[in-house]
Amino acid sequence: MSTGELLSIEPLELKFPFELKKQISCSLQLSNKTDNYVAFKVKTTNPKKYCVRPNAGIVLPRSTCDVIVTMQAQKESPPDMQCKDKFLLQSVKANDGVTAKDINAEMFSKEAGHVVEECKLRVLYVSPPQPPSPVPEGSEEGSSPRGSVSDNGNVNGTDLSTATKAFVEQLEPQDKSSEARALISKLTADKNNAIQQNNKLRQELELLRRQGNKNHGGVSFMFIIFVGLLGIFLGYLMKKT
């Protein structure tokens, strides 16, 4: 913070979380701790790169004013992330009752005998804030168990054993689930085969019955009973699976 006779300025550095192709803003707070009206004006060495709102104004007695500085989207990063741009904030005592519309360049002219306070501000590029991790460390699904480290730097074996056991128990349901899916697939295949065999036997039995009717008993009655019992047995196996 800079504390002058007229305005206190915070902060003294304009810190921009630099990102390519993105507009970035930061703010200044001007505090007037006097009983006078104070006029201010903001200048920069690179006016095409920055937008300052408001770039001039009046801070009423015992009040504050926020100034927003917006850096236009940049297409490339500066060398070593260093910025040479500078800002200058000028402040001067004004007559009571003045408004921002009454501000003119002559008010900040030292040649005209006005006492002008000046504060230089530099620009810094900082790394953008990283988004918080949605999953706390150590609780990620499938993460390997970790042992805790005591104050003397030794690994706590009890914690490591407990973590390992929990990790194994976490994997066991997955293994059992795989085995169950494999067993269900095998039983389904066996069931389909049994159905096919049963249908085939029924077709053969029906064919034999038709041929028996034509030949008037040419086929043994015992053979027909055997085929029927075999079909019933296969049907029982199919229901059981």
Side-chain angles (χ1 to χ4, degrees):
M1 175 187 295
S2 173
T3 303
E5 294 183 2
L6 297 176
L7 292 179
S8 297
I9 305 168
E10 186 179 5
L12 294 178
E13 296 174 337
L14 295 171
K15 296 182 179 181
F16 293 94
F18 189 86
E19 293 185 62
L20 290 176
K21 300 179 180 180
K22 184 177 180 181
Q23 281 191 348
I24 309 167
S25 298
C26 64
S27 63
L28 295 171
Q29 186 176 74
L30 312 181
S31 300
N32 180 6
K33 298 181 180 180
T34 72
D35 296 324
N36 303 310
Y37 280 65
V38 176
F40 71 89
K41 187 175 183 179
V42 182
K43 297 180 179 180
T44 178
T45 57
N46 197 342
K48 293 183 179 181
K49 184 177 178 180
Y50 301 94
C51 176
V52 182
R53 291 290 182 273
N55 63 347
I58 298 292
V59 185
L60 301 179
R62 306 294 176 180
S63 63
T64 61
C65 177
D66 291 329
V67 177
I68 305 300
V69 182
T70 301
M71 182 177 67
Q72 303 301 321
Q74 302 298 299
K75 297 181 180 180
E76 57 183 16
S77 302
D80 301 326
M81 293 294 289
Q82 299 295 320
C83 183
K84 297 181 180 180
D85 300 334
K86 298 289 189 299
F87 281 80
L88 177 67
L89 189 143
Q90 296 177 310
S91 57
V92 63
K93 181 181 176 181
N95 296 326
D96 293 348
V98 299
T99 64
K101 295 180 180 180
D102 300 322
I103 296 175
N104 53 61
E106 186 179 357
M107 295 174 63
F108 300 93
S109 174
K110 296 179 182 180
E111 289 77 8
H114 297 141
V115 179
V116 181
E117 288 188 0
E118 294 183 340
C119 179
K120 294 181 180 180
L121 309 172
R122 64 173 184 162
V123 176
L124 293 179
Y125 292 151
V126 296
S127 300
Q130 298 297 325
S133 176
V135 180
E137 184 178 357
S139 63
E140 295 180 1
E141 183 177 356
S143 61
S144 59
R146 296 182 178 91
S148 62
V149 181
S150 60
D151 294 338
N152 58 6
N154 296 326
V155 177
N156 192 325
T158 302
D159 293 343
L160 181 59
S161 176
T162 302
T164 303
K165 182 179 179 181
F167 182 69
V168 172
E169 290 176 352
Q170 187 179 16
L171 291 179
E172 285 180 354
Q174 298 179 0
D175 296 339
K176 291 180 180 179
S177 177
S178 299
E179 293 177 359
R181 287 196 296 268
L183 180 59
I184 292 174
S185 299
K186 183 176 182 302
L187 292 176
T188 303
D190 293 342
K191 179 180 179 181
N192 292 334
N193 290 334
I195 292 174
Q196 293 178 359
Q197 292 295 333
N198 189 30
N199 292 335
K200 184 177 180 181
L201 287 175
R202 287 181 180 178
Q203 293 176 0
E204 292 179 353
L205 180 61
E206 183 66 23
L207 181 61
L208 289 175
R209 285 177 179 176
R210 292 178 182 178
Q211 291 179 352
N213 292 335
K214 291 181 180 181
N215 297 331
H216 302 287
V219 179
S220 172
F221 181 74
M222 293 300 296
F223 178 76
I224 295 175
I225 293 176
F226 172 76
V227 173
L229 290 174
L230 182 60
I232 293 172
F233 178 72
L234 289 176
Y236 172 77
L237 289 179
M238 178 188 65
K239 293 180 179 180
K240 185 176 181 181
T241 56

